[in-house]
Amino acid sequence: MTNQPNILLIYTGGTIGMVKDYDSGALKAFDFAKLLSQIPELEQLDCTIESISFEKPIDSSDMNPGYWIEIATIIESNYLAFDGFVVLHGSDTMSYSASALSFMLENLTKPVIFTGSQLPIGDLRTDAKENLITSIQIAALQAKEKPVVQEVGLYFEYKLYRGNRTTKVNAEHFEAFNSPNYPPIIESGVKLKINKPFLLKHPARKKPLIVHKQLDENVAILKMHPGLTANFLNSVLTATGLKALVLETFGAGNAPTADWFIESLESAIKRGVHIINVTQCSGGSVMMGHYETSKKLSKIQLVDGKDITTEAAITKAMYLLGNKVSDALFKTIFETSLRGEMQ
Ligand code: ASP
C-alpha cells in the first residue's frame, strides 16, 4: 500500500523504552529495531512505521537544549519523507521538550507527538502500549490528504494536549500530565474525539518549515515564597550572564510590595535582565495590575506571562534570546502567542 501515512518514531529514552529482564529483575533498554516483532499490534495500524533512536538513550532528567537540537534536526532531515513524528521521551521533562520543540519548529504543518509512559513497555500492566499505539494513530490521522494535527502535541493516558500547554502533575498516576489552561485537542475513547476548534490553525498559504537551532541558556526560574531574602534574590538577579528570569509569583501574578524587593527587580531590568511574571498556581492567569501587589510589577515593566506554563516560559525565553530578539522588542514578542502557548 503506497499511500499509507509514513510515521517516524524517534526514541530518546525514558521508561517507555525499557523492558524487564525477568531473570535479574533489572530494567534494560528495549530494542526498537525489533519494535514490530515485539509489539505485533502495530501491524494492524493503517500506516508504515520506521524508527530511529538516540545513539545513547537518556533518562529525561538529563535532557538539555543540545538534545532538543538533535530531535529538531532528525525531524528536519526527515520532514519531507514522513507524514508524522512520534517522539518517545521520559515523562519527567517531557513538557519542557514539547514546549521547546514547538518554538524551534516554525511553520510546522505535520504532527510531532511526544509520548512516554509511567511503566516500561515490557511490564505486564504497562501504559506504554496504549500511549504508543494511539500516538502513532494520531500522527497518522489525515483529513483531505492533510494531517489533522499540525503542531507539537503531548499524548498521555487517553488525551492529546497541545505540548506547550502541558505540565507533569503526578509522579505515579497513569494520568501524569495536565493542561490547566487549554482543553485536550483529541480525546481517546471508543473513538478518537477531535476537538477541532482547539487545533492550531495555519495560514492558507503554506510556508516552509524553519528549524531554529539557537537557544540561549542564560535563563533561570525563581519560585517566590514568603520569607525570600534580599540576599538570595539579588544573588540570582546578579548571576553572571543572566538574561531572563522566569519569576513564579503568587496567585494572579502577585509579589511583595516592599521597596527592597521592587528596587532589586527594577535595577535588574535596567541592567537588561528580562523578568517574566508567571503564576505558581497550577491553573489560571497572571493579571498584571489587578491587585496593588502586581501594579508595581507592571510599572517597572515585568513581562506579562499571562497564562503560560513555566515550562513554556523558560523555553520561549531561550528561543527568543537565541534568535537575538532585541531588548526593546523582547517584552512585546514574549507577550504575543507564537505557537498557541498563551491566550
Ligand atoms: N525518569 C524517567 C524519565 O523521565 C521517567 C519516565 O520515563 O517516565 O526519563
Side-chain angles (χ1 to χ4, degrees):
M1 292 221 209
T2 46
N3 47 12
Q4 276 189 326
N6 200 10
I7 305 303
L8 182 63
L9 279 187
I10 304 168
Y11 177 56
T12 69
T15 302
I16 190 163
M18 300 281 165
V19 277
K20 205 176 214 156
D21 182 320
Y22 282 103
D23 293 331
S24 66
L27 290 177
K28 57 178 194 186
F30 176 84
D31 182 357
F32 271 82
K34 298 197 188 123
L35 186 72
L36 290 179
S37 58
Q38 302 254 9
I39 312 176
E41 295 94 319
L42 293 176
E43 300 272 15
Q44 292 177 38
L45 291 173
D46 231 355
C47 59
T48 54
I49 305 165
E50 287 177 43
S51 67
I52 185 167
S53 170
F54 271 12
E55 207 172 290
K56 247 181 103 201
I58 56 161
D59 185 291
S60 80
S61 304
D62 281 321
M63 192 44 74
N64 63 44
Y67 289 121
W68 294 336
I69 294 169
E70 200 172 327
I71 301 170
T73 305
I74 294 173
I75 293 171
E76 180 180 38
S77 34
N78 290 283
Y79 196 65
L80 296 178
F82 289 86
D83 301 290
F85 302 86
V86 173
V87 183
L88 302 175
H89 192 292
S91 62
D92 289 349
T93 61
M94 199 191 297
S95 292
Y96 289 91
S97 297
S99 299
L101 265 293
S102 77
F103 297 118
M104 294 166 80
L105 302 173
E106 187 177 350
N107 304 329
L108 178 73
T109 52
K110 295 188 177 181
V112 173
I113 313 295
F114 278 76
T115 195
S117 64
Q118 293 284 57
L119 284 175
I121 203 155
D123 199 286
L124 210 51
R125 294 177 50 251
T126 191
D127 52 333
K129 280 194 185 173
E130 200 286 319
N131 285 348
L132 174 63
I133 291 169
T134 309
S135 293
I136 297 174
Q137 218 168 8
I138 288 173
L141 273 182
Q142 305 248 332
K144 296 189 191 138
E145 291 177 12
K146 286 199 188 115
V148 169
V149 177
Q150 305 192 5
E151 59 184 294
V152 176
L154 187 154
Y155 183 81
F156 225 88
E157 194 61 6
Y158 305 114
K159 291 192 183 88
L160 178 76
Y161 300 109
R162 174 165 299 157
N164 57 30
R165 289 292 198 152
T166 61
T167 194
K168 185 172 180 183
V169 290
N170 202 297
E172 54 184 88
H173 289 171
F174 285 151
E175 205 165 343
F177 287 87
N178 198 355
S179 167
N181 290 328
Y182 201 76
I185 50 183
I186 296 185
E187 288 169 84
S188 165
V190 173
K191 290 183 183 161
L192 288 179
K193 181 173 161 240
I194 303 165
N195 296 330
K196 271 198 192 137
F198 298 108
L199 293 168
L200 197 66
K201 312 274 180 317
H202 291 278
R205 244 187 70 213
K206 211 174 152 190
K207 295 186 188 155
L209 178 76
I210 303 172
V211 182
H212 298 274
K213 296 183 189 171
Q214 306 296 329
L215 297 166
D216 194 326
E217 294 172 43
N218 288 299
V219 296
I221 300 171
L222 178 67
K223 183 171 183 164
M224 291 295 309
H225 60 85
L228 178 74
T229 65
N231 179 27
F232 287 126
L233 178 65
N234 285 322
S235 59
V236 173
L237 290 173
T238 55
T240 314
L242 183 73
K243 293 184 189 159
L245 179 74
V246 175
L247 187 67
E248 281 198 355
T249 55
F250 307 122
N254 305 313
T257 50
D259 288 346
W260 67 264
F261 179 77
I262 300 296
E263 280 160 16
S264 293
L265 298 188
E266 191 173 18
S267 89
I269 292 169
K270 285 194 174 139
R271 287 195 311 274
V273 178
H274 304 287
I275 304 181
I276 302 145
N277 189 359
V278 167
T279 175
Q280 58 183 248
C281 292
S282 56
S285 180
V286 160
M287 288 187 281
M288 297 263 275
H290 190 64
Y291 289 95
E292 196 55 41
T293 43
S294 67
K295 266 202 179 111
K296 288 188 176 176
L297 302 180
S298 190
K299 219 163 149 205
I300 61 170
Q301 296 289 300
L302 250 73
V303 178
D304 185 350
K306 303 180 190 179
D307 63 347
I308 199 168
T309 61
T310 297
E311 293 88 334
I314 194 81
T315 52
K316 188 173 183 178
M318 287 182 187
Y319 162 72
L320 294 182
L321 293 168
N323 270 275
K324 306 274 180 281
V325 164
S326 71
D327 281 353
L329 285 179
F330 185 94
K331 179 168 157 50
T332 313
I333 299 183
F334 196 102
E335 291 174 355
T336 308
S337 174
L338 301 179
R339 312 277 191 269
E341 74 282 5
M342 54 166 46
Q343 68 201 4

